[in-house]
Amino acid sequence: MNFEAQLEQIPLKLYNTASRQKETLVPLVDRHIQMYTCGPTVYNFAHIGNFRTYVFEDLLRRAIKFFGFSITQVMNLTDVDDKTIRGAIANGVTLDEYTQPYKDAFFEDLKALNIEPAEYYPAATDYIADMIAMIEVLLHKGIAYRGGDGSIYYAINKFPRYGCLSHLHLEDLQAGASERVAADEYEKEHVADFVLWKSYDPERDGQIYWESPFGKGRPGWHLECSAMAMKLLGETIDIHVGGIDNMFPHHENEIAQSEACSDKAFVKHWLHAEHLIVDQKKMSKSLGNFYTLRDLLNKGFTGTQVRYLLLQTHYKTQLNFTFQGLDAVKSTLQRLNDFVQRLYEVETAKAGGRIEALEQNALKGFAEALADDLNISAALASIFDFVREVNCLCDAEQLSREEAQTAIELMKKFDDVLGVMTFEKREEVIPEDLEDAFAKRLQARQDKNWKLADELRDFIHQRGYLIEDTPHGARLKKA
Ligand code: AMP
Ligand code: ZN
């Protein structure tokens, strides 16, 4: 079956936060997608709430590739902002010394969660010159100005499209709009001119500052993403993604900065993942209701189990974290992996002739669900239907070894998107005393010592093994 040609025909529809509609993904150039994903602030270990967003982004990336596009993905590392500076000062270390262990931990966690590496992981501190250049353009255009505290701010009323992503109406916010906000993070009620360059305060910032034409200081968080996205991907990009809390003010401010600089549309397609919640509250550091991936690995769960838990709920639905949910994942994954092992063990020689239709149907169901704004539950349902149907074929010995091989290929294709299955052939280790009993039984049968042969067979059965007749002779098999 030629999977690739079939899949390229299916339009991939994704919800666009900007238009509040599902739209077909049409790349700006050829069949290549440029995607920017807001990465972690490396002031601490990322929690599994953060990873819900990153696992979703990985699903999106893999789905884009599944439908035959190539992709360049950037995920930034925010290594300078209010929180990292506060952490470095509190611990009496440099910013680099403070953030490096969290950067390292983040990459370890990505690996454990089987998240495909992005093409670029720019650290904000390596792009300060690009941020300064953008501020100069904004000052030159009269969109940025110096505030009384010496910091440079973005005048949101100079950008008429301000609010286009979060659907805010500037005219309704006149009172707020005349204020300024110097903090990196703030809520919708505080919509205001936001900081582009935060001027240095020795008491607050210790030795952490950069020189610039506007004096010592450091960039605002929102500017960091604009600068890195445009530098690495260009002025207009296909897709920009983040958690829903990033939509305002972070992404709104990114649009304002980038579009005012370039006079071009910044992003075609915005996607936002809903939160992982605990008891109806967002999982977050500030509420203290969080688990890091390490916490869960230490409790004996695997990265794959956590990945599946985060993956199996549609990204636009809040996902309530519970340990029961995580426990349930274990048996789900076992079902998939046992199925693959069973396919490896098929030895029937005669083709049943029914597998191709089942495969076509499963692939169609999976692909169409995925193409419908990544409808993961329907996509998974297609796979589990396929597993059930093929298990029936195996039971009825209507699946040949060659046919089983094509079913394995299809499961691999599904797993290119899911990233949760194991395709290593399990080598069954049979206890030595059983091998011994098995050999003795063969000898007993040759010697026509039926009594001993039966005793040995019973011994083997009691230990949970069967003696299976195959075309190549008898062998031991777990019952
Ligand atoms: P931060 O390190 O706080 O900048 O967050 C990194 C990413 O994780 C952002 O895209 C956030 O929107 C996302 N995020 C934070 N908390 C959660 C949560 N509870 N559920 C899902 N995503 C989250
Ligand atoms: Zn960002």
Side-chain angles (χ1 to χ4, degrees):
M1 161 179 357
N2 183 354
F3 295 129
E4 279 68 26
Q6 287 181 44
L7 295 173
E8 284 186 19
Q9 300 306 314
I10 302 176
L12 172 55
K13 291 209 161 95
L14 299 169
Y15 185 82
N16 185 350
T17 314
S19 66
R20 304 288 197 267
Q21 278 174 11
K22 285 183 201 171
E23 291 174 13
T24 301
L25 184 66
V26 181
L28 289 158
V29 180
D30 300 331
R31 284 192 71 80
H32 188 75
I33 294 293
Q34 307 257 58
M35 176 161 98
Y36 188 89
T37 44
C38 287
T41 306
V42 281
Y43 75 112
N44 209 323
F45 296 107
H47 56 68
I48 56 163
N50 302 126
F51 282 115
R52 181 187 191 196
T53 294
Y54 304 136
V55 165
F56 155 63
E57 290 164 351
D58 186 50
L59 176 69
L60 175 61
R61 173 191 168 91
R62 287 165 179 258
I64 287 169
K65 288 167 68 177
F66 180 78
F67 287 105
F69 300 99
S70 54
I71 187 164
T72 305
Q73 180 189 357
V74 174
M75 176 175 282
N76 70 290
L77 305 171
T78 301
D79 59 352
V80 49
D81 81 322
D82 293 341
K83 291 186 281 199
T84 45
I85 293 180
R86 226 180 287 137
I89 305 244
N91 286 276
V93 292
T94 65
L95 195 59
D96 270 357
E97 284 166 346
Y98 183 66
T99 57
Q100 191 58 49
Y102 298 121
K103 289 182 188 171
D104 295 343
F106 179 67
F107 288 114
E108 277 172 27
D109 289 355
L110 290 184
K111 225 175 183 177
L113 289 168
N114 199 18
I115 291 178
E116 278 188 4
E119 281 62 33
Y120 297 95
Y121 288 103
T125 50
D126 291 330
Y127 291 80
I128 304 282
D130 301 285
M131 298 166 201
I132 291 173
M134 278 185 79
I135 299 175
E136 289 188 301
V137 173
L138 293 171
L139 280 168
H140 181 72
K141 291 189 171 183
I143 290 165
Y145 64 93
R146 188 183 288 273
D149 60 351
S151 295
I152 309 290
Y153 289 90
Y154 188 105
I156 58 174
N157 61 7
K158 296 274 171 67
F159 184 70
R161 270 167 42 76
Y162 193 84
C164 60
L165 180 65
S166 28
H167 293 199
L168 293 172
H169 296 290
L170 255 196
E171 58 275 20
D172 299 340
L173 299 161
Q174 278 315 319
S178 61
E179 290 170 9
R180 269 180 224 132
V181 52
D184 283 324
E185 291 179 67
Y186 53 92
E187 302 293 327
K188 258 199 187 116
E189 305 81 73
H190 300 115
V191 63
D193 290 357
F194 59 91
V195 76
L196 296 167
W197 188 260
K198 199 157 165 169
S199 73
Y200 175 59
D201 172 346
E203 248 176 60
R204 187 192 60 207
D205 302 332
Q207 288 306 307
I208 302 170
Y209 64 82
W210 283 261
E211 298 288 352
S212 83
F214 350 102
K216 286 180 184 172
R218 54 96 173 171
W221 168 44
H222 315 296
L223 184 64
E224 296 177 5
C225 282
S226 275
M228 289 183 276
M230 290 168 82
K231 174 86 178 193
L232 291 166
L233 297 175
E235 290 174 327
T236 304
I237 62 182
D238 294 288
I239 299 182
H240 195 314
V241 197
I244 189 70
D245 57 328
N246 280 165
M247 181 179 67
F248 184 87
H250 185 51
H251 292 160
E252 198 69 65
N253 293 352
E254 279 190 48
I255 295 173
Q257 296 161 148
S258 299
E259 297 195 353
C261 272
S262 71
D263 293 317
K264 294 192 183 119
F266 176 42
V267 171
K268 267 185 83 179
H269 215 120
W270 286 93
L271 283 101
H272 292 96
E274 268 298 339
H275 284 146
L276 183 69
I277 57 170
V278 186
D279 298 332
Q280 304 315 313
K281 294 198 187 75
K282 174 188 169 190
M283 180 176 281
S284 69
K285 292 268 160 54
S286 54
L287 291 175
N289 60 350
F290 66 92
Y291 290 99
T292 63
L293 179 63
R294 279 128 217 275
D295 293 334
L296 299 182
L297 299 183
N298 287 336
K299 284 181 188 288
F301 296 100
T302 65
T304 311
Q305 288 159 1
V306 178
R307 177 183 172 89
Y308 190 91
L309 178 83
L310 298 177
L311 196 79
Q312 68 179 346
T313 299
H314 189 254
Y315 75 97
K316 281 176 59 58
T317 307
Q318 287 191 336
L319 166 57
N320 192 33
F321 174 78
T322 63
F323 279 101
Q324 290 97 304
L326 196 46
D327 277 328
V329 166
K330 287 186 188 169
S331 45
T332 309
L333 287 179
Q334 177 146 10
R335 234 166 91 210
L336 291 174
N337 290 329
D338 284 353
F339 174 65
V340 171
Q341 292 304 319
R342 183 170 196 193
L343 293 175
Y344 281 129
E345 285 166 17
V346 167
E347 286 182 344
T348 310
K350 190 165 166 282
R354 290 186 49 207
I355 190 71
E356 193 170 342
L358 294 183
E359 286 173 350
Q360 283 287 353
N361 197 35
L363 181 66
K364 185 167 179 283
F366 180 81
E368 285 179 357
L370 212 57
D372 180 16
D373 195 28
L374 309 185
N375 183 347
I376 190 73
S377 355
L380 289 171
S382 283
I383 298 181
F384 284 107
D385 284 348
F386 180 67
V387 169
R388 198 170 28 78
E389 290 156 351
V390 178
N391 268 327
C392 289
L393 290 187
C394 290
D395 291 343
E397 296 194 359
Q398 285 190 10
L399 187 77
S400 71
R401 194 198 291 249
E402 285 71 28
E403 288 176 323
Q405 196 53 44
T406 66
I408 292 171
E409 290 311 311
L410 182 61
M411 291 301 279
K412 281 186 181 162
K413 190 82 194 157
F414 292 147
D415 200 52
D416 284 346
V417 177
L418 301 177
V420 294
M421 293 180 220
T422 309
F423 289 91
E424 248 167 66
K425 233 177 180 166
R426 251 182 246 153
E427 288 307 332
E428 211 179 304
V429 184
I430 297 172
E432 226 172 279
D433 59 336
L434 285 188
E435 289 282 19
D436 217 34
F438 180 62
K440 281 191 181 135
R441 179 176 174 271
L442 283 182
Q443 188 58 51
R445 282 169 68 89
Q446 275 176 18
D447 300 344
K448 301 201 171 10
N449 184 348
W450 307 117
K451 186 166 171 287
L452 179 60
D454 286 352
E455 278 168 16
L456 288 165
R457 185 200 56 209
D458 292 346
F459 170 72
I460 290 168
H461 284 182
Q462 275 161 19
R463 296 280 302 274
Y465 280 77
L466 296 174
I467 299 162
E468 191 186 48
D469 283 316
T470 77
H472 320 286
R475 63 165 198 153
L476 279 183
K477 194 184 167 200
K478 209 162 191 156

